[in-house]
Amino acid sequence: MLISIILSLILTGVGTRWINSLYQMPNAPLTFPDEIVSRSKFRPSLMFLLMFVCLLHFSEMPLPQFFYITTIIFFLTMITFTDFEQYTIFNKMLLPFAIFGILAAIHLNLPLADRIIAAIVGGGIFLIIAFVSNGGIGGGDIKLVFVLGLWLGSEMLLNVVFLASILGGFAAIFFLATKKMNRKSFFAYGPYFTLTTLVMLVFAF
């Protein structure tokens, strides 16, 4: 437990600094640039809690697997918070996330071809959906599904997309019904993909 606490504290500190630096970039794609502080005030505590619960669950894993599971937990957590707070998923997070996904497949002898196919097909389908829906799906969501394919492979990616789409749909209906958003409002689907992935990983291992 102590290792999980220390690691969660370190990753929370690193993650918070990273997110803050991305928010301060010139021309950062922020939806709420004047609400950075108010929308992130609970971030450190929630980020620590989320990572601690996940890392504690996987703490008995062999070191190589634990390293990569820690990596995916870290990136999924970062993406969850940037998309909740500012409705944006940064390429500077997605690129190293994708690279580590490929390294994990190679290092752990996982079927790399299946993961590449899952990434291309999953990202391609969401690209088509975005085109047909005239921007109903954001570019960040498309790239996130692509990267998740590299990490999860076809079977788990399909399950994540299915469950996350249902949860996101119910959430959108709820926000519409309570008038917290309208049909023209932007809806952040990313956190539903990331949190669903974390839950499925916990139950899978």
Side-chain angles (χ1 to χ4, degrees):
M1 178 180 288
L2 181 59
I3 293 176
S4 298
I5 292 174
I6 295 173
L7 188 54
S8 298
L9 285 171
I10 293 172
L11 293 177
T12 297
V14 171
T16 296
R17 287 174 179 269
W18 192 12
I19 290 174
N20 290 340
S21 68
L22 290 173
Y23 285 175
Q24 293 169 9
M25 290 190 309
N27 301 316
L30 306 182
T31 304
F32 309 103
D34 298 325
E35 302 177 30
I36 292 177
V37 175
S38 62
R39 296 181 71 88
S40 64
K41 60 182 177 179
F42 298 115
R43 186 207 303 156
S45 56
L46 292 176
M47 185 182 294
F48 169 80
L49 181 61
L50 179 59
M51 286 197 283
F52 171 69
V53 170
C54 293
L55 290 175
L56 183 63
H57 176 80
F58 296 110
S59 60
E60 300 298 322
M61 270 189 166
L63 187 57
Q65 287 88 337
F66 183 71
F67 171 79
Y68 287 112
I69 205 73
T70 300
T71 301
I72 190 173
I73 289 170
F74 174 74
F75 279 102
L76 289 175
T77 302
M78 297 303 101
I79 292 168
T80 298
F81 281 94
T82 62
D83 212 15
F84 263 135
E85 292 174 9
Q86 293 292 335
Y87 293 178
T88 189
I89 301 175
F90 290 92
N91 291 332
K92 289 190 175 183
M93 286 186 176
L94 289 171
L95 180 57
F97 191 21
I99 292 172
F100 273 110
I102 295 172
L103 291 176
I106 295 173
H107 188 196
L108 301 178
N109 295 316
L110 300 172
L112 181 59
D114 174 70
R115 280 157 168 72
I116 292 174
I117 292 172
I120 294 173
V121 173
I125 290 174
F126 272 78
L127 179 61
I128 294 172
I129 293 173
F131 179 77
V132 172
S133 63
N134 195 26
I137 297 291
D141 296 325
I142 298 169
K143 288 177 279 191
L144 175 60
V145 171
F146 177 90
V147 176
L148 288 178
L150 295 175
W151 276 94
L152 305 178
S154 55
E155 183 176 355
M156 185 172 283
L157 179 66
L158 180 62
N159 292 332
V160 165
V161 168
F162 177 72
L163 291 176
S165 297
I166 292 176
L167 292 174
F170 278 122
I173 292 172
F174 172 78
F175 290 138
L176 286 170
T178 56
K179 297 184 179 180
K180 292 184 177 181
M181 59 179 284
N182 56 50
R183 294 182 180 277
K184 294 183 179 180
S185 299
F186 183 82
F187 183 73
Y189 258 105
Y192 298 93
F193 291 118
T194 55
L195 294 176
T196 300
T197 301
L198 285 173
V199 171
M200 291 197 68
L201 286 172
V202 166
F203 280 99
F205 298 98

